[in-house]
């Protein structure tokens, strides 16, 4: 392996470790705080916060395209021999400032009208919902202004900073949970929204302060001349289609569930998404560390290594998600009852469908990043974006026909698989050497083999021993299922998911670690 590729692999591994350290801690805090917040607010208020905050998040379809553009253009600039990242940073920040002002006006006009006239919220809680809405607007605009700074940190691959700031944010949210119980006579939903707003302001100050000190050549200054904004705005404009699809498939369907079924189901979906997000964060951490390398290698015309990153990145990201999600899918009901005091109806099925949808999406992550790296996204967004948007009207048709709320996820899963095929076909002519056969053999075939065989083996083993060893509702059932899932999944990944070269690499690493350990023991 070339020295540069080896160095890049080590950087990816190091950054992933930093992000995983962050994930384990923040996930533990998030799981604990979610239970307490649900208990403190109640199912109705928790559902109100989820749907109101989600409605504000719908407007991120205006910013989602710029988020991808910021990360792509800054990373691409760093991949060049001569870069001018200060200009790119200043342009992206200027665009985000203007966009924040536009979104603020839209939310304060159209948003307030829709909230008070169309949302399915009890009239006695409408004032609290409006307070949450105002806090959510300000929080959203503040987070929007953080995007260029986040993109700068990701492009420079300073993932340890993300870890530290995220840990601070998680600890601050833990303090909020404690404070909720001190305001006994106050409206806890309003207090919760205000405290979260305060955290957003503090995080915004930390990010900007760090970037101004660490990247002194990236001081913000206004760039005159529309020609400098043309590429980013054009890229963002076409990427807007994909951002619209993503928001409609998440927050849009969440609003449909509110309109057809009520806030209780929004609470259930909100909890399901928290579980899904917690598990998916392991994949996102890996992709956050991998994405800059994909963009930089495309900019450097290093296509052979780029194809390796695309194929293996898709495979590894799925395996990471599978190891954690598989036991959760089998023991969803027990985990939710162990975690929550009061489990809203449909939460169990919501969690399982959400995990399946994310599995389908995991296959497309490296393809999407590679497509953004090329900058040729017009045709891609017209085709894939248009297909993805169909999940929203499909969910509406399901609900209109009387199908249960789970069909919102089913609509997203169907379109996700169709979009995966479209992404592969569109990427073929853009990256020299990339073929469907190679991607299918290196990624999809391995993934199907691991998921199918591990599922059959685990279910077979559990069915064989559960009557004689443990009771279905016993804590031992949960522990043994987790152990069996983890062991079988790892075995299947090693023997089925990895190729011969990858197995030899792992074996050599293991032998090296064992040799060093034995040597140290002898020295003692």
């Amino acid at each position: 392996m070339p020295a540069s590729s080896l160095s890049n692999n080590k950087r990816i591994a190091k950054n992933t470790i930093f992000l995983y350290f962050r994930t384990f801690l923040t996930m533990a805090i998030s799981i604990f705080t979610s239970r307490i917040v649900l208990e403190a607010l109640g199912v109705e208020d928790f559902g109100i916060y989820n749907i109101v905050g989600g409605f504000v998040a719908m407007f991120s379809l205006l910013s989602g395209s710029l988020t991808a553009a910021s990360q792509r253009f800054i990373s691409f600039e760093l991949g060049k021999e001569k870069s001018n990242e200060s200009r790119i940073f200043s342009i992206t920040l200027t665009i985000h400032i203007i966009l924040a002002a536009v979104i603020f006006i839209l939310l304060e006009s159209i948003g307030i009208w829709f909230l008070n006239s169309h949302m399915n919220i009890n009239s006695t809680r409408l004032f609290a919902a409006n307070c949450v809405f105002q806090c959510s607007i300000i929080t959203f605009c503040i987070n929007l202004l953080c995007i260029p700074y986040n993109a700068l940190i990701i492009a420079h691959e300073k993932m340890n900073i993300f870890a530290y700031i995220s840990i601070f944010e998680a600890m601050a949210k833990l303090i909020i949970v404690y404070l909720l119980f001190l305001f006994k006579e106050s409206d806890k939903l309003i207090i919760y929204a205000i405290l979260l707003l305060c955290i957003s302001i503090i995080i915004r100050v930390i990010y900007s302060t760090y970037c101004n000190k660490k990247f002194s050549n990236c001081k913000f200054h206004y760039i005159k001349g529309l020609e400098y904004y043309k590429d980013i705005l054009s890229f963002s404009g076409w990427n807007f289609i994909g951002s619209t699809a993503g928001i409609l498939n998440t927050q849009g369907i969440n609003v449909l569930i509110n309109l057809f079924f009520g806030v209780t189901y929004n609470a259930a979906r909100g909890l399901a998404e928290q579980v899904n997000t917690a598990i998916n964060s392991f994949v996102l951490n890996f992709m956050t560390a991998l994405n800059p390398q994909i963009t930089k290698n495309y900019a450097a015309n290093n296509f052979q290594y780029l194809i390796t990153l695309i194929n293996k990145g898709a495979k590894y990201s799925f395996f990471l998600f599978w190891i954690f999600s598989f036991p959760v899918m089998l023991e969803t009901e027990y985990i939710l009852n162990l975690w929550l005091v009061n489990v809203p109806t449909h939460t169990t099925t919501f969690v399982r469908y959400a995990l399946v949808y994310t599995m389908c999406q995991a296959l497309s992550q490296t393809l999407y990043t590679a497509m953004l790296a090329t900058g040729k996204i017009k045709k891609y967004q017209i085709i894939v974006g248009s297909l993805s948007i169909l999940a929203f009207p499909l969910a509406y048709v399901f609900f209109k026909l009387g199908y249960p709320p789970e069909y919102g996820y089913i609509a997203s899963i169907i379109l996700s698989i169709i979009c995966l095929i479209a992404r592969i076909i569109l990427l073929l002519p853009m990256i020299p050497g990339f073929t469907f056969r190679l991607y299918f053999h290196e990624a999809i075939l391995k993934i199907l083999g691991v998921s199918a065989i591990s599922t059959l083996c685990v279910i077979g083993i559990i069915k064989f021993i559960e009557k004689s060893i443990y009771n279905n509702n016993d804590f031992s059932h949960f522990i043994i299922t987790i152990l069996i899932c983890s062991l079988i999944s790892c075995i299947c990944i090693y023997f089925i998911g990895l190729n011969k070269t990858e197995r030899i690499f792992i074996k050599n690493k293991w032998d090296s670690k064992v040799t060093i350990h034995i040597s140290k023991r002898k020295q003692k």
Side-chain angles (χ1 to χ4, degrees):
M1 181 180 291
S4 60
S5 297
L6 184 61
S7 175
N8 289 335
N9 288 343
K10 288 182 178 179
R11 187 181 300 111
I12 293 170
K14 180 182 177 182
N15 288 331
T16 303
I17 290 171
F18 272 120
L19 293 171
Y20 275 177
F21 173 72
R22 174 197 72 167
T23 297
F24 277 113
L25 187 58
T26 56
M27 184 174 66
I29 293 174
S30 176
I31 289 172
F32 173 73
T33 54
S34 297
R35 171 194 171 114
I36 304 302
V37 168
L38 177 62
E39 183 180 351
L41 297 181
V43 173
E44 182 180 2
D45 278 3
F46 187 85
I48 290 173
Y49 185 84
N50 182 62
I51 184 59
V52 172
F55 177 71
V56 173
M58 281 187 66
F59 281 77
S60 63
L61 65 90
L62 298 173
S63 65
S65 55
L66 281 173
T67 301
S70 300
Q71 294 180 1
R72 186 266 175 188
F73 276 91
I74 293 176
S75 295
F76 192 90
E77 196 70 21
L78 290 175
K80 297 179 179 179
E81 292 184 7
K82 295 182 179 180
S83 65
N84 189 356
E85 60 175 315
S86 179
R87 186 179 67 186
I88 298 297
F89 170 75
S90 297
I91 291 171
T92 57
L93 185 54
T94 300
I95 294 172
H96 279 82
I97 292 172
I98 296 171
L99 183 62
V102 172
I103 290 178
F104 181 81
I105 294 171
L106 289 174
L107 286 170
E108 289 291 355
S109 53
I110 298 174
I112 290 179
W113 165 76
F114 187 83
L115 172 67
N116 289 280
S117 61
H118 288 77
M119 298 289 274
N120 188 4
I121 297 174
N122 193 311
S123 59
T124 59
R125 301 302 293 148
L126 202 55
F127 174 75
N130 276 276
C131 292
V132 170
F133 187 70
Q134 293 299 322
C135 291
S136 299
I137 291 173
I138 301 172
T139 301
F140 179 80
C141 291
I142 290 172
N143 292 338
L144 187 60
L145 297 178
C146 277
I147 290 173
Y149 294 96
N150 294 355
L152 199 61
I153 295 172
I154 291 174
H156 284 272
E157 301 182 64
K158 301 292 183 181
M159 304 308 173
N160 58 322
I161 301 303
F162 266 129
Y164 301 145
I165 296 177
S166 296
I167 291 170
F168 169 78
E169 185 177 2
M171 296 300 294
K173 289 181 178 179
L174 187 61
I175 295 173
I176 283 179
V177 172
Y178 171 73
L179 293 176
L180 279 179
F181 288 94
L182 297 181
F183 296 95
K184 295 182 180 180
E185 302 300 325
S186 304
D187 192 312
K188 292 182 179 180
L189 179 59
I190 297 175
I191 297 298
Y192 183 61
I194 293 172
L195 292 174
L196 286 179
L197 170 60
C198 293
I199 291 178
S200 296
I201 294 172
I202 294 171
I203 296 300
R204 167 71 177 84
V205 172
I206 293 174
Y207 271 124
S208 59
T209 302
Y210 172 82
C211 289
N212 288 331
K213 289 184 177 181
K214 187 67 177 179
F215 312 118
S216 56
N217 61 326
C218 283
K219 296 288 185 180
F220 172 74
H221 56 280
Y222 177 67
I223 305 293
K224 294 182 179 180
L226 292 176
E227 65 273 11
Y228 294 111
Y229 296 80
K230 182 180 178 181
D231 289 342
I232 294 178
L233 290 174
S234 176
F235 183 93
S236 303
W238 289 113
N239 206 38
F240 177 82
I241 300 174
S243 299
T244 303
I247 294 301
L248 288 177
N249 290 347
T250 52
Q251 302 303 336
I253 292 177
N254 199 26
V255 170
L256 287 180
I257 288 175
N258 174 261
L259 297 176
F260 279 92
F261 304 102
V263 293
T264 301
Y265 291 92
N266 290 127
R269 185 176 169 98
L271 291 168
E273 287 303 321
Q274 286 193 12
V275 175
N276 183 38
T277 300
I279 298 174
N280 192 38
S281 60
F282 291 97
V283 177
L284 293 178
N285 287 335
F286 174 68
M287 290 306 304
T288 300
L290 182 65
N291 286 343
Q293 285 296 319
I294 292 177
T295 305
K296 290 175 182 177
N297 277 279
Y298 180 84
N301 295 324
N302 189 1
F303 297 119
Q304 184 175 358
Y305 184 57
L306 172 63
I307 293 170
T308 300
L309 291 176
I310 293 172
N311 294 336
K312 292 188 176 182
K315 180 174 69 174
Y316 295 157
S317 61
F318 182 91
F319 291 159
L320 284 170
F321 188 78
W322 179 257
I323 289 172
F324 294 102
S325 63
F326 184 31
V328 172
M329 291 181 70
L330 293 179
E331 293 291 333
T332 308
E333 188 171 356
Y334 184 86
I335 292 171
L336 290 175
N337 284 302
L338 191 68
W339 173 31
L340 303 171
V341 176
N342 182 18
V343 182
T345 181
H346 284 258
T347 306
T348 299
T349 50
F350 276 3
V351 169
R352 288 170 176 161
Y353 278 116
L355 294 176
V356 172
Y357 171 68
T358 305
M359 286 180 194
C360 297
Q361 289 293 93
L363 294 172
S364 295
Q365 291 297 322
T366 54
L367 297 172
Y368 176 68
T369 303
M371 184 67 67
L372 293 182
T374 66
K376 304 170 184 176
I377 62 170
K378 178 179 177 180
K379 184 178 179 180
Y380 168 82
Q381 290 295 5
I382 290 174
I383 296 175
V384 177
S386 300
L387 286 172
S388 185
I389 285 175
L390 293 178
F392 179 76
L394 181 59
Y396 177 82
V397 171
F398 283 146
F399 296 157
K400 199 70 175 176
L401 293 174
Y403 287 95
E406 289 86 351
Y407 273 77
Y409 281 114
I410 291 175
S412 298
I413 291 169
I414 293 171
L415 270 302
S416 178
I417 296 172
I418 295 173
C419 287
L420 170 64
I421 298 170
R423 286 187 180 99
I424 297 173
I425 294 173
L426 289 170
L427 198 62
L428 293 177
M430 296 185 181
I431 298 179
F434 180 72
T435 64
F436 180 84
R437 180 180 176 276
L438 184 63
Y439 184 80
F440 182 81
H441 183 267
E442 290 292 328
I444 297 178
L445 195 61
K446 303 283 188 181
I447 288 167
L448 291 176
V450 168
S451 55
I453 295 177
S454 58
T455 299
L456 292 174
C457 290
V458 168
I459 292 177
I461 293 172
I462 290 175
K463 290 294 182 182
F464 179 74
I465 67 174
E466 71 178 357
K467 288 185 179 180
S468 58
I469 296 182
Y470 55 84
N471 186 277
N472 282 340
N473 296 319
D474 197 2
F475 180 71
S476 61
H477 181 286
F478 170 70
I479 297 298
I480 294 175
T481 300
I482 296 294
L483 294 175
I484 291 174
C485 285
S486 301
L487 179 61
I488 296 298
S489 294
C490 290
I491 292 173
C492 289
I493 288 171
Y494 182 80
F495 287 103
I496 300 172
L498 303 181
N499 58 38
K500 184 178 180 180
T501 304
E502 291 166 332
R503 288 196 294 270
I504 292 174
F505 176 79
I506 292 176
K507 185 178 182 299
N508 290 339
K509 281 289 184 181
W510 174 261
D511 292 341
S512 175
K513 294 289 184 183
V514 171
T515 302
I516 293 172
H517 179 69
I518 294 173
S519 177
K520 287 182 178 179
R521 292 193 64 178
K522 287 182 178 180
Q523 289 176 2
K524 291 181 180 180

